[in-house]
Amino acid sequence: MSQANVQLQPGAGLPKHDGPGSRDSSEFEFVMKNNQAAPNPLLMTSNQPSVVPTPSIVNLQMPNQPILRPQLPPQSYHPQPMPHPTLPQSTSLPSNLDLTSVSTIVAESPSTPGMFGWVKGTGFLSNLVEKTKSVTENVITTLDPQMKEFIHSGGDVELIVASDKENKVGPVREAFQKVFGHATVYGLPSKSISIAEQPVGFASGKQAASERISTLRKSGSVGPNTVILSVENFLYEVNEEIWIDLSCLVLSDPLRKITLQSYSQPTNVDAKYIQLLKAGTPENYPRQWSGFAVPIGQVMAEELNVPHTSWQEAVTGVNKKQLLFLAAQGIAGLYKRSIQEKVDVV
């Protein structure tokens, strides 16, 4: 193979670049002589690196060894039953479904908390509901006063007043319903046996109230363990010029072995009216030792020209209903406390 002479001319500069390629690949210009292509210097034998022997792969004969494979314990297949989807109560089952293989799921409804149950335990809303309830009850009872007894009746307290007069039963009912929240209170007629029509003195007043209770129990109108409250008006002589009228309240609860008594606020009575009571009592009146034969209400109504149930208001401006209500509220509070003490002891 003929060799071409290549003449390098230093400083010849960069050749002109007519095609693609790098302009910085060389600083020399190859000169073609004898119209022969210049060989690539990198392909010349003198520029080839020395031959390096290529290592050969030697196959070594290894003794045949058994292939160890992990032994897995046999597993038994237990098919799991597919859970039945829970159907809502409003979803109906298709007609072609085999009902023998379908489990019945009963959805329990949550307990109903009541109309105002959702505000239970909340301070502001609870107070708002209580005020709304109170205002509503006031409006109802104002339009129909008889509804007040119906709204507040019930509860664990049942009380019988030993009198069928509404001017005694009404204040007692309101007082116990205010103290206990709900209470069933009604009256039955009763009277004392050995005490004068108008008792005089604390002892006579208390004895007359106690006899009203015992008379009502002996009549068979109530059970032996019924709670009974009796109200008896009596007079007391403070001095020769001043007498006072009071109400004695006695409560009897045989089941809990509770006996209580209370007194109302006194109302002044002039001595001149007492002289009329003495004049109306016969000398042979068998109960004269305990009082008069004529009640004070009858004399005061005739002298003041007012109903016999309103003479206290005509004298002092405070009616009998208010006086009896406060006294009944006091004995109701004592009764509630006594019940609580019995429960604490048990």
Side-chain angles (χ1 to χ4, degrees), residues 111 182 337:
S111 58
H182 290 82
R337 182 177 179 181

Side-chain angles (χ1 to χ4, degrees), residues 246-283:
L246 304 93
S247 293
C248 176
L249 287 74
V250 177
L251 184 144
S252 173
D253 185 350
L255 182 62
R256 299 183 178 91
K257 298 181 180 180
I258 297 175
T259 300
L260 301 171
Q261 67 181 43
S262 178
Y263 298 92
S264 69
Q265 175 181 331
T267 301
N268 288 10
V269 180
D270 290 341
K272 62 181 181 179
Y273 300 119
I274 303 300
Q275 296 300 325
L276 296 176
L277 291 177
K278 292 180 179 180
T281 302
E283 295 182 356

Side-chain angles (χ1 to χ4, degrees), residues 79-93:
Q80 298 293 332
M82 296 182 64
H84 297 284
T86 303
L87 297 177
Q89 293 181 349
S90 60
T91 304
S92 59
L93 296 176

Side-chain angles (χ1 to χ4, degrees), residues 2-290:
S2 62
Q3 296 182 354
N5 292 328
V6 179
Q7 183 178 358
L8 301 176
Q9 296 181 0
L14 296 174
K16 295 181 180 179
H17 185 73
D18 296 331
S22 176
R23 298 182 178 181
D24 299 333
S25 62
S26 176
E27 295 182 357
F28 298 92
E29 180 182 359
F30 293 92
V31 179
M32 305 294 298
K33 291 185 178 182
N34 299 326
N35 296 326
Q36 298 180 357
N40 191 346
L42 298 178
L43 299 178
M44 296 178 65
T45 305
S46 61
N47 294 329
Q48 294 292 329
S50 59
V51 178
V52 179
T54 302
S56 59
I57 299 174
V58 180
N59 294 328
L60 298 179
Q61 297 296 327
M62 300 295 293
N64 294 331
Q65 296 181 357
I67 299 174
L68 300 178
R69 295 181 180 178
Q71 298 294 329
L72 299 177
Q75 297 181 354
S76 59
Y77 175 72
H78 298 284
Q80 298 293 332
M82 296 182 64
H84 297 284
T86 303
L87 297 177
Q89 293 181 349
S90 60
T91 304
S92 59
L93 296 176
S95 58
N96 59 351
L97 181 62
D98 185 7
L99 299 179
T100 59
S101 61
V102 176
S103 299
T104 303
I105 300 175
V106 180
E108 297 182 356
S109 301
S111 58
T112 304
M115 180 180 298
F116 299 106
W118 59 278
V119 296
K120 184 177 181 181
T122 58
F124 174 74
L125 293 178
S126 179
N127 294 335
L128 181 61
V129 170
E130 288 297 329
K131 291 181 180 179
T132 304
K133 178 181 176 183
S134 177
V135 172
T136 304
E137 291 179 355
N138 290 337
V139 173
I140 294 175
T141 55
T142 301
L143 297 177
D144 188 359
Q146 295 181 353
M147 286 295 296
K148 189 171 185 179
E149 178 182 354
F150 174 77
I151 292 174
H152 297 283
S153 295
D156 298 331
V157 178
E158 182 175 353
L159 181 73
I160 294 179
V161 180
S163 175
D164 58 350
K165 298 179 180 178
E166 184 59 27
N167 62 343
K168 291 184 178 181
V169 178
V172 173
R173 180 188 300 114
E174 292 182 11
F176 272 78
Q177 290 177 348
K178 183 175 182 180
V179 173
F180 289 94
H182 290 82
T184 302
V185 180
Y186 57 95
L188 293 176
S190 181
K191 62 184 300 183
S192 61
I193 299 176
S194 63
I195 304 300
E197 187 69 23
Q198 177 57 65
V200 176
F202 280 88
S204 297
K206 183 180 181 299
Q207 180 64 27
S210 299
E211 286 186 2
R212 286 179 180 269
I213 295 176
S214 61
T215 302
L216 187 58
R217 293 194 187 279
K218 293 177 181 179
S219 67
S221 302
V222 298
N225 294 326
T226 303
V227 182
I228 301 177
L229 185 142
S230 177
V231 180
E232 186 65 52
N233 282 74
F234 67 96
L235 294 172
Y236 178 75
E237 183 180 5
V238 178
N239 53 47
E240 294 180 357
E241 300 294 333
I242 299 177
W243 289 62
I244 56 176
D245 172 82
L246 304 93
S247 293
C248 176
L249 287 74
V250 177
L251 184 144
S252 173
D253 185 350
L255 182 62
R256 299 183 178 91
K257 298 181 180 180
I258 297 175
T259 300
L260 301 171
Q261 67 181 43
S262 178
Y263 298 92
S264 69
Q265 175 181 331
T267 301
N268 288 10
V269 180
D270 290 341
K272 62 181 181 179
Y273 300 119
I274 303 300
Q275 296 300 325
L276 296 176
L277 291 177
K278 292 180 179 180
T281 302
E283 295 182 356
N284 59 349
Y285 182 59
R287 306 174 190 172
Q288 189 175 2
W289 62 271
S290 61

Side-chain angles (χ1 to χ4, degrees), residues 292-345:
F292 305 114
V294 181
I296 184 63
Q298 178 179 335
V299 172
M300 298 299 291
E302 294 175 357
E303 294 295 322
L304 300 177
N305 195 21
V306 295
H308 71 279
T309 58
S310 303
W311 72 267
Q312 290 94 340
E313 184 178 5
V315 173
T316 63
V318 181
N319 58 40
K320 183 177 180 179
K321 181 180 179 180
Q322 291 176 301
L323 297 173
L324 190 55
F325 171 78
L326 293 176
Q329 185 178 2
I331 200 170
L334 293 174
Y335 182 53
K336 184 177 182 180
R337 182 177 179 181
S338 300
I339 294 176
Q340 187 61 41
E341 290 178 353
K342 295 287 184 179
V343 173
D344 293 340
V345 170

